[in-house]
Amino acid sequence: MSDAYLVIRVGSKWTDFIRLIPGRTATIGRTSTNLIVIKDESCSRNHAEVFHSRKGWQLRDLESRNGTHLNGEPISGDRRLTAGDMIRIAQCQLAFVHNPQDAFKDDSHELITDNTTDGEPYVALSDSNLLPSDQPTTITHRREQTRFLHPATQQNQPTGTGPDAEELCRLVFQLVQQTDPAGIAQLALEGLFASTKIDAGALLLLSPDHRGKLHFDDLKIAASRSDTEFSYHRVSPFLATTALKQREAVLARNVADDPTLGTPDSKGEIHSTSDICAPIRYERTVLGLVHLYSTAESRTPDTDDLEFTLAVADNVAQALINLHRQAGLVEDLSQSRDEVTQLRRQLRAKVEIIGSSPLLNEVHNQIAQAAPSRATVLIRGESGVGKELVARAVHYASPRQSGPFVCLNCAALSETLLESELFGHEKGAFTGATERKAGKFETASEGTLMLDEIGEMSPKIQAKFLRVLEGHPFERVGGSEALSVDVRMIAATNRDLEKAVADGSFRRDLYFRLNVVDIEVPPLRKRREDISDLAEFFLEQFNRETGKPPRTFTDAARQQLQTYHWPGNVRELRNVIERAVLLTAHEAIGPEDLKLSWLQADSESGEIAAPLATYVPESLADIERRHIQATLESFQWNKSRSAATLGIERSTLDRKIDRYGLKSPYKKQRRS
């Protein structure tokens, strides 16, 4: 659909033109409610209208008193308009054209006059109260959207816009590089002065925190300039309100004749002759206003200047929005970093390993030696001894402490889910895979990945896991992209991996790849010196968390805590104290408040020994012999580990083996 215009001629001069918009009726009449106001007594209050239908642009007479003429003939009903048609209403003529310049190419139209009025008629395209004049003060052109945003064709290619397009392109690149609204405003104003016929102007912006209804006084000057002897004068409220409310750029000529459109200075004088006012808008939000004006009759802005100004205003809006988004992203990133730092500090605080026993001090020494390196760490120990706590201590004492620490329990997932959790999956890889998911290896990059219960991993996953440990790239489930990560591995188990290797349930090569640094976390029953410190630590923690009056231990309760065998280790101790703090009605926690289990401690193989059904009298020597033999067999006769588990010296174990006549089932005894 080509553009359509009504070019208005009053007397012997073409004065104004208005762009016709499909879906919007252009009404013509004497009252100020019409789009085109003709102040002539021969014109009816609501005289005629121009509208668009399926047949094209139509002219309709609204039963006017003196009639509407099309090409010199009166009309009734609807008449279709074609380019070059001349409409006459009273002494006003309106040419229907597709290009405003076409109205001036052929000036041979005879001026048809009507002597029904004594005065000279005038026409306005706004609702301002104007005085009769040979050159009426009007808003001569409006633009809702600049044609710079439309693809250029032979029909709509604007003349003389080559340099303007180049200047606009340069401005766009420079605007996105600005770091503050003032810089954006100043740069845009310089571009406007270089490409339009104006000699004064300003960019007015709303404050970023503005809320509520927009008011003219809310606009603040961000940048202004005047190349005349007079300083810049602020835009008139009428022009600003018109541009902001209707969200259109407007061009007003002859504003010096009307204080409604022009802005007087301190002496009451209006220096501008023509004004351009364009809203700075983004979607439904108005961010500010561009106001430009000329003070010389010989230098008057035209429609090309209006187009360029509107294009610059739209790009200024985009630059301001991008700047606001960038500031928001920087603020969110800074806040996220602060939150991550705070969480890491909290995690470090929770990494504190409580206790001062010799066995625990040895664990501390091993952590200090292993942490600075990239070596894989294998943490052994019964369930509940705090293997994850030791892994966190290794991570936060290492150079990777600023990276992520990711933990995954291999025993909690099936083989398929474990593979997906470790290596990730692509969208559609299996039922339920509705989107791509990064695996633990990817999320732990530049940090540490801890795999708990490593002994529960299936042989298939072990093979793929081993390749990643050896530095090979891997692929997500259902994917083909090769991924490489930089991750430090920490594995933990309560199973006897040596026995699992002998049984064939755990890969021998994976065992040797994991067992680089071996940290054995002793059970709580073997470091009873730490029970009191741990109990006090948990008591203080739960007193603080529950907000109840502080609880204390009675001497009997302390004695029971000290002598209990703690099959669940530190985890059980923590839960027993939490329950006591929550449920004890009095301030002193006694033995009756400690709900202790009858279970025996886990054996080193990870199996729970069943309680004896009946009592069989035995000597201490027989019990000791059977216990030593069972311990040796569980470790394939590794005497060093057996002695450590039994809590005796290696030389003492050798004497007891000789005393009880114990023999290794292996042909060649392992040297340890």
Side-chain angles (χ1 to χ4, degrees), residues 207-280:
S207 76
D209 56 353
H210 178 268
R211 297 292 184 273
K213 189 176 181 180
L214 174 62
H215 191 270
F216 172 69
D217 294 335
D218 298 327
L219 295 168
K220 306 299 179 185
I221 297 177
S224 64
R225 174 177 168 181
S226 175
D227 293 345
T228 69
E229 59 180 311
F230 306 103
S231 60
Y232 165 76
H233 295 302
R234 191 177 174 91
V235 62
S236 71
F238 175 79
L239 267 184
T241 302
T242 300
L244 294 175
K245 183 178 295 185
Q246 300 183 10
R247 297 172 56 81
E248 293 180 333
V250 296
L251 169 61
R253 294 198 178 106
N254 309 317
V255 297
D257 298 331
D258 187 358
T260 303
L261 298 180
T263 303
D265 60 11
S266 58
K267 298 181 180 180
E269 299 179 356
I270 299 176
H271 305 294
S272 62
T273 59
S274 299
D275 283 47
I276 292 177
C277 202
I280 300 173

Side-chain angles (χ1 to χ4, degrees), residues 282-303:
Y282 181 78
E283 295 180 351
R284 297 184 178 276
T285 304
V286 175
L287 307 177
L289 198 68
V290 177
H291 175 224
L292 309 172
Y293 61 84
S294 172
T295 59
E297 292 286 352
S298 60
R299 185 175 170 82
T300 303
D302 54 22
T303 56

Side-chain angles (χ1 to χ4, degrees), residues 632-663:
L632 287 167
E633 289 176 354
S634 68
F635 290 105
Q636 289 87 41
W637 276 72
N638 185 316
K639 295 182 181 179
S640 297
R641 294 189 61 191
S642 298
T645 301
L646 293 169
I648 59 178
E649 298 292 331
R650 167 70 180 270
S651 58
T652 303
L653 178 60
D654 287 332
R655 289 196 299 271
K656 291 182 180 292
I657 290 173
D658 293 336
R659 180 192 305 170
Y660 296 127
L662 302 177
K663 301 295 183 181

Side-chain angles (χ1 to χ4, degrees), residues 25-31 34 43-51 58-68 75-78 89:
T25 301
T27 58
I28 308 169
R30 194 173 71 250
T31 62
N34 292 283
C43 179
S44 300
R45 295 173 59 84
N46 296 294
H47 196 104
E49 63 182 15
V50 177
F51 61 95
Q58 305 283 329
L59 172 66
R60 175 184 295 166
D61 180 80
L62 300 177
E63 300 180 355
S64 62
R65 183 174 68 252
N66 294 311
T68 301
I75 67 168
S76 61
D78 298 344
I89 298 175

